[in-house]
């Protein structure tokens, strides 16, 4: 079971990712995205969704149908499987 500290860090990292989801594009320097993905990577090391999220969010020439929502949902699902309590605002399937 993840510690409260780890859960807090993961939920802060998800807030960073969630802020990118509507536009599916990082504005400016992607340092906050890199840090958020690095925090999550320590808990779900084999998730292609992390790479996909990074690729879509940092690609200035992406296709119109490419969006960060599916990788985001996959990341949240993997974190739940790992035992993390995801804050309601970060869980887009929570009914909010």
């Amino acid at each position: 079971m993840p510690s409260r500290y780890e859960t807090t860090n993961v939920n802060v990292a998800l807030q960073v990712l969630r802020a990118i989801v509507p536009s599916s594009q990082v504005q400016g320097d992607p340092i906050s995205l890199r840090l958020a993905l690095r925090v999550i990577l320590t808990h779900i090391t084999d998730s292609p969704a992390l790479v996909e999220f990074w690729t879509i969010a940092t690609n200035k020439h992406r296709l119109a149908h490419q969006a960060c929502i599916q990788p985001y949902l996959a990341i949240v699902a993997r974190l739940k499987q790992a035992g993390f309590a995801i804050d309601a605002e970060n869980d887009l399937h929570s009914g909010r």
Side-chain angles (χ1 to χ4, degrees):
M1 170 140 281
S3 70
R4 186 170 47 158
Y5 171 78
E6 291 171 316
T7 299
T8 299
N9 283 345
V10 162
N11 276 293
V12 170
L14 286 175
Q15 287 175 0
V16 172
L17 300 187
R18 188 171 38 88
I20 295 169
V21 167
S23 67
S24 292
Q25 187 73 46
V26 174
Q27 303 300 321
D29 186 8
I31 190 85
S32 59
L33 173 59
R34 283 194 310 222
L35 181 57
L37 290 174
R38 182 68 186 120
V39 166
I40 294 169
L41 179 64
T42 61
H43 303 290
I44 53 170
T45 57
D46 62 342
S47 180
L50 296 172
V51 174
E52 185 179 2
F53 194 100
W54 169 264
T55 302
I56 294 169
T58 58
N59 186 354
K60 299 203 184 305
H61 305 291
R62 63 182 168 73
L63 300 173
H65 69 278
Q66 290 178 311
C68 290
I69 187 69
Q70 290 305 322
Y72 179 86
L73 294 174
I75 291 167
V76 170
R78 289 294 308 276
L79 288 167
K80 285 180 176 180
Q81 288 174 353
F84 283 91
I86 305 301
D87 292 344
E89 63 268 8
N90 290 331
D91 188 358
L92 301 181
H93 282 152
S94 69
R96 286 188 68 191

